[in-house]
Amino acid sequence: MRALIIGAAGFVGGYLIRELRSAGWEVCATCLPGERVTEDCPVHTLDILAKDSIVPLIDEISPDVVYHLAAQSSVSVSWKKPQLTAEINVVGTINVLEALRNVQKKDIRTLLIGSGEEYGFIREGACPLTESEPLSPGNIYAATKACQGMLGEIYARAYKMDIVMVRAFNHSGPAQAPIFVISDFCRQIAEAEAGVRPAEMSVGNLSAKRDFTDVRDVVRAYRLLGGKGVSGRTYNVGRGKAVTIQYILDTALSFAEKEITVKNDPARMRASDIPLIEPDVSRIFEDTGWRAEISMEQTIRDTLDYWRAEIREA
Ligand code: A2R
């Protein structure tokens, strides 16, 4: 199998390259000019907004599977730069789909990577969320990803293209940006251990329950969906077992090598926090046999070790 990963310089891209290569796939990747792909594979520069450059690249590589990861993926940036977010996530996706419609190879499978955020303001009692739950996005990023999924369904139906849509719930692991909760807690602990900050942590709302999956499990799901996912179908990718943020904090603190106190930070409290977000993951299990295998404790331990090493080397 030959894969092309569009947008491979981000958090998930490096893990996906490693996963596919270790399963024997041939992998090519793209990144923006000036970005760097950490894993070893042929890399091409591509801005998905430069629409005329996509067809020649895909024709050159002639992949069996295209993974479309390129995105403006930050919720907070999406509030500040809504046009840019829509441009990259919606117009950019249309550019990719139009290119795929016009390339020489007609049997390419495409995975469009969306987000659990698409469900948004979920109704009471809706969890675990099945893929047929109505979408009610609560922010601009989520709206663009819901739109991406709808475009995927439309292109699959109208042009008989082989497209699989993914709604990935929270994923985490070593090297994730510390704006995400597990990475944030682990970095704060590693900094406190190293004495570069006081032995005190700032936290937001700890009672919300969220579903976390290790990024290494997530990319394994993407590999399996690349082969066994049903064309035109949307898949939740998640553990299917939400935990409180308090549980994550307690677990991370239990690995700390120093006594650390916890302080509530009003700036980290989100006004519209939904108490529980949890996917139903039976569809992906039935179609591919995938389920999350790496424990949350392992993810937290590995992320903490990552930050310890980063701080040591800084
Ligand atoms: O925004 P940057 O400079 O970090 O670059 C991101 C890149 N990207 C683009 N690539 C090609 N053409 C563009 N016009 C363009 N704009 C941004 O896509 C970044 O290197 C990559 C996406 O990686 P991350 O933001 O780290 O996302 P992550 O965590 O790897 O998630 C992969 C996918 C995304 O579509 C998420 O929205 C979804 O999974 O959950």
Side-chain angles (χ1 to χ4, degrees):
M1 292 281 264
R2 184 180 300 153
L4 170 63
I5 304 174
I6 299 178
F11 172 56
V12 174
Y15 284 101
L16 183 57
I17 295 171
R18 207 176 312 161
E19 169 68 26
L20 297 178
R21 282 176 51 113
S22 61
W25 292 38
E26 207 182 309
V27 183
C28 291
T30 80
C31 65
L32 284 171
E35 282 189 315
R36 202 174 71 82
V37 172
T38 49
E39 294 297 307
D40 180 28
C41 77
V43 180
H44 303 256
T45 54
L46 177 72
D47 182 337
I48 56 170
L49 298 180
K51 61 180 177 14
D52 296 336
S53 56
I54 309 175
V55 170
L57 181 72
I58 298 177
D59 276 340
E60 184 189 329
I61 295 164
S62 196
D64 301 302
V65 184
V66 168
Y67 290 94
H68 175 40
L69 303 183
Q72 192 303 96
S73 66
S74 154
V75 172
S76 69
V77 172
S78 81
W79 289 116
K80 291 175 205 134
K81 299 182 175 177
Q83 293 92 342
L84 178 79
T85 304
E87 188 78 14
I88 296 170
N89 296 0
V90 179
V91 178
T93 296
I94 292 176
N95 291 344
V96 170
L97 291 171
E98 276 296 307
L100 284 157
R101 194 160 82 80
N102 290 300
V103 291
Q104 285 158 19
K105 193 170 187 314
K106 293 299 172 205
D107 58 349
I108 298 175
R109 158 153 296 190
T110 304
L111 260 86
L112 298 179
I113 311 300
S115 168
E117 288 268 349
E118 293 171 42
Y119 293 104
F121 297 113
I122 52 181
R123 59 187 177 86
E124 228 183 292
C127 288
L129 298 156
T130 65
E131 289 84 351
S132 52
E133 183 67 20
L135 303 181
S136 179
N139 60 66
I140 289 157
Y141 164 75
T144 63
K145 285 287 169 173
C147 186
Q148 169 181 279
M150 289 175 199
L151 288 165
E153 284 180 14
I154 289 166
Y155 272 74
R157 203 177 310 120
Y159 302 120
K160 309 270 175 292
M161 288 166 67
D162 183 355
I163 305 173
V164 170
M165 280 67 62
V166 168
R167 294 187 190 131
F169 284 70
N170 302 72
H171 37 289
S172 200
Q176 188 174 36
I179 51 167
F180 297 95
V181 66
I182 292 180
S183 201
D184 174 32
F185 287 172
C186 290
R187 183 172 75 154
Q188 290 193 56
I189 290 172
E191 285 178 348
E193 285 175 350
V196 297
R197 63 178 293 139
E200 183 183 86
M201 281 179 68
S202 306
V203 299
N205 177 9
L206 297 175
S207 64
K209 291 179 97 175
R210 295 290 181 270
D211 189 87
F212 290 89
T213 308
D214 193 289
V215 63
R216 295 162 285 194
D217 270 334
V218 170
V219 294
R220 190 168 51 80
Y222 295 174
R223 171 172 63 78
L224 291 169
L225 287 169
K228 295 183 180 167
V230 176
S231 182
R233 214 170 250 188
T234 299
Y235 292 90
N236 287 337
V237 170
R239 187 179 296 278
K241 183 85 199 80
V243 296
T244 59
I245 307 300
Q246 179 80 58
Y247 173 79
I248 292 171
L249 177 65
D250 292 345
T251 307
L253 284 172
S254 74
F255 298 141
E257 288 163 357
K258 193 175 189 175
E259 191 73 25
I260 296 170
T261 57
V262 174
K263 189 183 88 192
N264 280 325
D265 177 359
R268 288 171 190 252
M269 297 283 178
R270 287 203 220 153
S272 67
D273 248 353
I274 295 161
L276 169 68
I277 303 179
E278 184 177 74
D280 180 303
V281 288
S282 33
R283 179 179 286 178
I284 187 169
F285 180 68
E286 279 156 24
D287 287 358
T288 72
W290 179 88
R291 60 158 63 107
E293 286 173 357
I294 301 171
S295 70
M296 290 214 48
E297 293 70 26
Q298 190 65 50
T299 307
I300 293 169
R301 205 182 267 283
D302 291 348
T303 306
L304 183 54
D305 284 342
Y306 165 82
W307 281 114
R308 283 172 176 150
E310 282 293 293
I311 289 161
R312 250 195 326 271
E313 282 159 26

